[in-house]
Amino acid sequence: HIGNQIGALAVYGVNGLEEQWGQEEVRLAKSGNTIERLRQLLGLPLFIEEGLWPARAQFNGMSHPVVVEGGKRAILSLYPAARETPQSLVAKLQAFIAHHRLRIDVVGPHGDGGVDCQPQGFNKTLSVDGVIRRFPRAKIFAMIDGINDLPLARDSRVMPITFLNGAPEVREAVQERGGITIPKVGYEGGCVEAIRVISQLLSLSAS
């Protein structure tokens, strides 16, 4: 929806595992069926419509309440329910995934308490791969703030830009890379300021 609003040439979603250029069909990264297997083991539907839905996950024979973020096929996004903390949900998922020997990374918790389960080795740098395939000499800037953005912060092909609301690990990684920290919250004018900075840098490099 945001891509349509800004007239984006391409859109990458679901931590980089979904790609769409213009009006082409959405393409999913070939990541196997590990997430489908995880859903089955947890007793969750293979697909849920967009929205946040209460559900019960089966962890080693015991039923636990969770909240599932719908609209995603390539990854599984969960939120803790009832009195559980995001950290305990992460620990529970990691132990469950290790027990079943699934090749899945647990990413989070994010600022909103959400936790992502995604195929091992797949992350947002897939978007960088996609752009470079079409534009080999492109200068790539990435506006980032969440834990799932860390691979972008560390990718040498990217100039990372973060904000006051960036996760501490992200701000540290951006600083180590010599990236840019905008002294504003991203959704409170920070992104607009970042676009101004990018425009200035591109103008300087073109002159």
Side-chain angles (χ1 to χ4, degrees), residues 59-138:
F59 286 99
N60 303 319
M62 297 184 65
S63 178
H64 293 267
V66 294
V67 176
V68 182
E69 183 177 351
K72 298 180 178 181
R73 296 182 186 275
I75 69 173
L76 174 62
S77 295
L78 299 175
Y79 293 81
R83 299 177 182 176
E84 187 168 33
T85 65
Q87 290 76 15
S88 67
L89 178 59
V90 168
K92 192 178 296 179
L93 284 166
Q94 288 174 333
F96 187 83
I97 287 167
H99 175 75
H100 290 282
R101 299 182 179 181
L102 300 175
R103 295 178 61 82
I104 292 175
D105 292 326
V106 179
V107 182
H110 304 300
D112 61 359
V115 178
D116 293 334
C117 300
Q118 62 192 43
Q120 201 171 81
F122 289 79
N123 55 59
K124 289 190 177 185
T125 59
L126 290 171
S127 60
V128 181
D129 299 337
V131 171
I132 288 177
R133 276 197 302 271
R134 299 196 182 215
F135 305 101
R137 301 180 66 183

